[in-house]
Amino acid sequence: MNDSKLKSARYRIAAVLFVARSFFSASTIAAFTLTTIIAVALTGDEKLAGIPNTMTTIGRALFAYPLGLMMDKFGRRIALSTGFLFAAFGLLLSIIAVINSNFWLFLGGAMMIGMARSA
């Protein structure tokens, strides 16, 4: 592969990663804001508003080291894809929890979203 093709591939990969990461960060910020509102709506208790964000932080902390090991062993693409897959499952779980008014399921979804944030 010559230098111009290699440089083009590098820029293309960086652009895709930048766009994906930007959308993921924006959605996480929106989710971080909405989880407190949803927690109060599901429980009716303002004291529990911060628990979903705490679960997100715990999920992020718990998954960071294993994800780093995964990056070392399998590469960044597999590890990032795994993290984004956790985000998709966490969001789906959260949607199901809100529809069914299940606070505990919502906390599980928040933890999975936190696991994705470590990616």
Side-chain angles (χ1 to χ4, degrees):
M1 191 180 252
N2 62 19
D3 284 342
S4 65
K5 285 185 180 181
L6 186 61
K7 191 174 185 180
S8 173
R10 271 192 239 147
Y11 282 127
R12 191 172 52 250
I13 290 170
V16 168
L17 187 58
F18 174 77
V19 169
R21 197 64 196 134
S22 297
F23 281 125
F24 186 72
S25 292
S27 65
T28 303
I29 290 167
F32 207 73
T33 304
L34 290 175
T35 53
T36 57
I37 297 167
I38 293 169
V40 172
L42 290 177
T43 63
D45 189 358
E46 292 179 5
K47 295 177 200 166
L48 301 176
I51 293 178
N53 289 335
T54 302
M55 294 302 289
T56 301
T57 304
I58 289 170
R60 188 176 188 177
L62 290 176
F63 199 60
Y65 185 73
L67 192 70
L69 290 177
M70 185 185 292
M71 282 187 184
D72 286 343
K73 189 170 185 175
F74 301 111
R76 289 183 181 174
R77 182 174 295 181
I78 297 293
L80 288 173
S81 297
T82 301
F84 292 149
L85 191 63
F86 272 104
F89 283 130
L91 291 170
L92 183 63
L93 196 62
S94 296
I95 290 168
I96 292 168
V98 170
I99 290 170
N100 294 320
S101 298
N102 188 329
F103 182 64
W104 297 105
L105 195 60
F106 185 67
L107 293 179
M111 182 175 251
M112 289 184 80
I113 291 169
M115 293 167 77
R117 275 297 281 169
S118 66

